[in-house]
Amino acid sequence: MIRKPVVAVQGADMSRADPAACAPTLVLLHGWGFSGKVWAPLREALPPATAVLTPDLPGHGGAGGGATLADAERTAAALIARLPAGVECPVWAGWSLGGLVALAAARQWSGPQGVMLIGGTPKFTRGDDWPAALPGGELEDFRAALEGDRPRLDRRLAMLCARGSTDAASLARELAAQLQVAPAALEGLEAGLDLLQTADLRGAWAGLRAPAALWLEPADALVPSAVEAYLCALRPDCRVGRGAGGHADWLVRPAPLATFVSEFLNQCSTGECA
């Protein structure tokens, strides 16, 4: 089992957690353009004793080294190297792009663990054998937008994340404000798009000997809910939860996801982590 003598994770907050030995530690990994701060509503909805880490991915929030994010394996290795020494059973939970890093980290970790995709998928781009995904041109449109007006790009991303939610306009404004308060570096955004366009971690999702969970939203504009059938075919034992909105609906309605996460952590704490 990996032990890392590091006492802090960049962007992490353990102030509410004092985990017992071998208890699961929830490692929440944010999406493209955001930072660890995006998890605040979910953290508040979780039981107070939940051990939580919310690191910033490379080039996002307060983290440097943005070019690293183009490679999920390098990003995951750096993440593992920065885990506090007491983390013995990480539960990697990634939203959107963060799901790719979660899968890579789970593939590298040698001890007890769990992995969860929250509005995530092991392959974001569409293919003949993977139709429930984004067309490649949509990600190219975002790359072109990086050369233009940054606030406009933030608003576009925020609207896509909010689409399908009951009060999409209000959520989009909140997300755009987050993107502007803690702006990701251009290098990190470019590398993140490279990762989204090229990564294929279906083998990791299918082959991990650890509990797996999946949370999807029916009106998600970035990760089609139809991907559930393909993910469950690869991993019939995965736990599945479903929201009622769009890609970022859990920010305004965190309680259902918090319940689902807590149940999954309980599964991991009963010795079912492999």
Side-chain angles (χ1 to χ4, degrees):
M1 185 184 299
I2 295 174
R3 298 287 191 274
K4 296 294 179 183
V6 180
V7 297
V9 178
Q10 190 166 15
D13 182 352
M14 290 288 288
S15 60
R16 301 193 306 129
D18 182 18
C22 296
T25 298
L26 182 62
V27 185
L28 294 169
L29 303 172
H30 61 81
W32 185 74
F34 292 90
S35 73
K37 292 181 174 62
V38 77
W39 295 110
L42 178 62
R43 290 183 66 251
E44 288 301 315
L46 289 167
T50 307
V52 184
L53 295 171
T54 56
D56 292 334
L57 294 176
H60 289 67
T68 305
L69 190 55
D71 187 326
E73 301 299 333
R74 287 180 60 202
T75 301
L79 172 66
I80 290 171
R82 300 175 76 91
L83 287 179
V87 176
E88 298 190 344
C89 178
V91 176
W92 316 100
W95 174 50
S96 199
L97 174 145
L100 298 172
V101 180
L103 287 169
R107 184 157 60 183
Q108 293 182 31
W109 186 261
S110 63
Q113 63 177 331
V115 65
M116 177 183 294
L117 300 180
I118 300 171
T121 172
K123 188 177 188 302
F124 275 82
T125 53
R126 189 176 297 172
D128 291 341
D129 62 344
W130 199 250
L134 289 173
E138 189 153 345
L139 293 173
E140 282 301 325
D141 287 346
F142 272 105
R143 190 180 300 278
L146 288 176
E147 302 175 2
D149 181 70
R150 181 65 178 272
R152 183 177 180 182
L153 171 63
D154 291 342
R155 290 193 297 271
R156 179 183 175 188
L157 175 59
M159 287 190 299
L160 279 173
C161 289
R163 185 183 298 172
S165 297
T166 302
D167 191 352
S170 176
L171 177 55
R173 287 193 295 272
E174 178 183 341
L175 293 171
Q178 283 203 31
L179 290 165
Q180 291 163 16
V181 167
L186 179 60
E187 183 182 49
L189 292 172
E190 291 175 338
L193 286 175
D194 289 341
L195 179 62
L196 288 167
Q197 286 183 305
T198 62
D200 185 349
L201 286 146
R202 287 178 288 181
W205 171 255
L208 285 172
R209 296 186 57 192
L214 174 66
W215 179 269
L216 294 172
E217 300 282 353
D220 196 323
L222 295 170
V223 178
S225 60
V227 78
E228 178 183 338
Y230 297 91
L231 290 173
C232 289
L234 291 172
R235 192 66 195 262
D237 64 327
C238 74
R239 180 187 290 262
V240 180
R242 302 172 187 87
H247 193 63
D249 195 68
W250 57 268
L251 273 91
V252 289
R253 273 183 289 276
L257 177 57
T259 298
F260 182 74
V261 169
S262 295
E263 291 172 350
F264 186 60
L265 291 174
N266 287 336
Q267 175 184 345
C268 294
S269 70
T270 60
E272 295 183 48
C273 284

